[in-house]
Amino acid sequence: MLPRKNFKSPFLKKATLLLGCLITAFLLLDLLFPFKPKVQYSTQITASDGTVLHAFLSPDDKWRLYTNIVEITPLLQKTLIYKEDRYFYYHPGINPFAILRAAGRNIFTGRRTSGASTITMQVVRLLEPKKRTYLNKLAESFQAMQLELHFSKDEILQLYLNLVPYGGNIEGIKAASLLYFGKAPQLLSLAEITALTIVPNRPSSLRPGSNNDVLKTARNQWLQRFGKEKLFEESVIQDAIEEPLFVKRLTAPKQAPHLALRLKKDFPDQPIIHTSIIIQTQKQIEEQVKNYVNRLQSMNIHNAAVLVVNNETMAIEAYVGSADFNNPFDGGQVDGIRAVRSPGSTLKPLLYATAFDKGIITPKTILNDVPSNFNGYEPENFDQHFNGQVTTEFALANSLNIPAVKILKEITAPVLINKLKQADFQTIKKQSKDLGLSMILGGCGVTLEELTRLFASFSNEGELKQLRYTTENAVSKKGEQLVSQDATYLLNNILTQVTRPDLPTNFDNTFHLPTIAWKTGTSYGKRDAWSIGYNRRYTIGVWVGNFSGEGVPELSGANTATPLLFSIFNSLDYNSPKGWYKMPANVALRKICAASGDIPGDFCDHQITDYYIMGVSPYHKCRHLRWVFTDTAGKISYCTYCLPEKDFIKNTYPNLAPELIAYYELKKIPYQKLPAHNPSCERIFHEGAPLITSPNDGSEYFIQTSEPQKIQLSCQTSIDVQEVFWYVNDALVKRGSPHEAVFVSPPVGRVKISCSDDKGRNSDVQIVVKKI
Ligand SMILES: [Zn+2]
Ligand SMILES: [Zn+2]
């Protein structure tokens, strides 16, 4: 055995050495001249089912859509490899036999043919086009082997299918199947695949749609060849040959344009961005918005935006940024979902839920909707009327302004601002230092996206979660609790009541009302109409208005935005199978006095039930009436200090707040007044001093010396006050009824205004009067 081995070794040794040298040289050259293909793809935005929603041209203006390996079906693979490079899976990038055969043919015919090109070599040429010289061919062969070294066969095939030209600026199988056949590559038939695989040979003369007959003839020739070679069954080939060829160049899909642009900017290097958009929902709502806005054109209302969130997954299922992206006159390209606008009343639900959590109110707590002055800020209601005493739920469902400002004053603006910061309201984060009580009536900036996310937290029982635009974002299991589940339950019940003024005025019986909770908003100057609604499955945000910011007198959240919200809910989730919210363990019902919302006392004969949060909601004994001693005629009242030994009776009188008395006096609403206090009483009273409502403490007044104006003095007093005394710099200027408005001409400089009542209780304010 040994001699034999020795006999063979010199040749083997040489051969091994040569091979070793070649491999080392190849690896060295590979290190020195690395071949790293860089392909600039078009950005594709896909819907949740993988359908291309929207495609953009690549940076070099090609329709070059990235094809995934899964989109390359066995049928496509088989046809292509048979036609282009039968030994693709066996050669190292170059096919020596094919080269020899082609070289022979070149010598004998004197013509150059490209028959020797493997798929790998074609990929090299597509990546780096060069002149067809023998030297370049050598370089291409080297690079082909480099590709084989660094990429799998499937990856090389994928590169080929992504780069191969199909006429015009269409490159790659995905763009070709989408723009010629209007479908994904996986759905192509054998006939369509065959037609497409022969286009790259002569991309201009065989360009689909330009000369379909020529293409069909060429297609059928190849199909017959496949038949002869028994590549497919005879019947399959026959069907393919009989298949007509209808091709025309289609336009690239352009759905959800605002979202597509947004995501392309967010993920610039990602060839495919998988969104959570449900394509049917998107199409349907785009259509609904367009038709709806068309009907509003005559009112000079030109735009709307809608965002649909799946509450369970927080996935965005529809994103309609404007009524018509292609309408430049009405700012169609503006993304209404991210535009910063005034929220109107849409932040009130968060305020009330926060107040439920702080134990300040329950749904039936009585609030005073009366003219109020908050350090010079005098808000009015939308309809410029006041409602006197109202329940909390009425105040929220009717979006009354004064109760909302009062509640905000009580919980303080910074508390609400912190909640909004927690809910990721970007503009409010920036504005936070400048925001005051007016923010609850719309004096701040929000986006439809932020509002819809906020309302989705109400639908998720107070749990705040991030919105998901792409399938890459993981579903967050647990969110942050923005408000308690208990407070959200109370809120959801209030926002579902169907007897509400923010139902559209033209609401007729033919229009079905789905069970949803919703809140409307109309911004100052009637520029923005909002309606944000939710049930267990969806949260839908609707904005209607003009991107120019132009206000429209007819515009309101109830009449302009709510009908669109309802019609979307009706088409998307009418009679939601998910039911409504269950009462949390910590929420219970209790009896309260209807006159106050507090725990009933002895004299509270009108008792009703109300929800409350155990251990959180206020527990006050009702004081809507109080006992008062009077003489037997009921003309003089006594306190314990001056109560005579006999000839008195004990009676109940309403315990009205000074602001409510002032309102009743203003509106001439009759109310039960307390008899005047015993004139001979010498008791000194401390609590319940008059509240000066004008002028405001610390305010500045400018008066013209030529024509001095007067300033108004007004106050609110306790129910037992009959007379007040006004002083300017400690000099009495007027005595009269507490409800009488008094006008005085103040001196210039720092001025002290005082008000005393008939019980000797006194209040002061300081103002500064300047000349102009
Ligand atoms: Zn009561
Ligand atoms: Zn007294």
Side-chain angles (χ1 to χ4, degrees), residues 637-643 677-678 680-683 685:
S637 65
Y638 303 115
C639 61
T640 43
Y641 189 88
C642 64
L643 186 67
H677 197 69
N678 178 11
S680 51
C681 176
E682 286 165 1
R683 177 178 168 187
F685 291 82

Side-chain angles (χ1 to χ4, degrees), residues 483-498:
V483 283
S484 75
Q485 189 191 352
D486 312 323
T488 317
Y489 179 75
L490 305 186
L491 181 71
N492 293 349
N493 279 341
I494 296 173
L495 295 184
T496 318
Q497 292 174 6
V498 287

Side-chain angles (χ1 to χ4, degrees), residues 656-676:
L656 300 176
E659 60 177 12
L660 200 62
I661 298 168
Y663 171 70
Y664 288 158
E665 290 287 339
L666 178 77
K667 293 283 170 191
K668 310 229 176 327
I669 297 169
Y671 65 100
Q672 196 186 359
K673 288 179 194 169
L674 210 61

Side-chain angles (χ1 to χ4, degrees), residues 143 235 433 518 590:
Q143 287 181 318
S235 60
K433 283 194 186 71
W518 83 101
R590 67 181 179 189

Side-chain angles (χ1 to χ4, degrees), residues 339-397:
V340 176
R341 318 287 309 187
S342 156
S345 294
T346 50
L347 296 177
K348 284 176 185 166
L350 179 64
L351 171 75
Y352 281 76
T354 307
F356 289 143
D357 270 338
K358 295 236 168 253
I360 293 170
I361 46 173
T362 59
K364 294 215 159 46
T365 303
I366 296 296
L367 303 169
N368 293 331
D369 180 35
V370 295
S372 303
N373 181 321
F374 304 90
N375 289 326
Y377 176 47
E378 293 179 57
E380 278 190 334
N381 283 326
F382 188 69
D383 60 2
Q384 287 154 355
H385 286 100
F386 297 95
N387 297 273
Q389 290 192 309
V390 293
T391 62
T392 295
E393 59 187 13
F394 181 90
L396 175 57

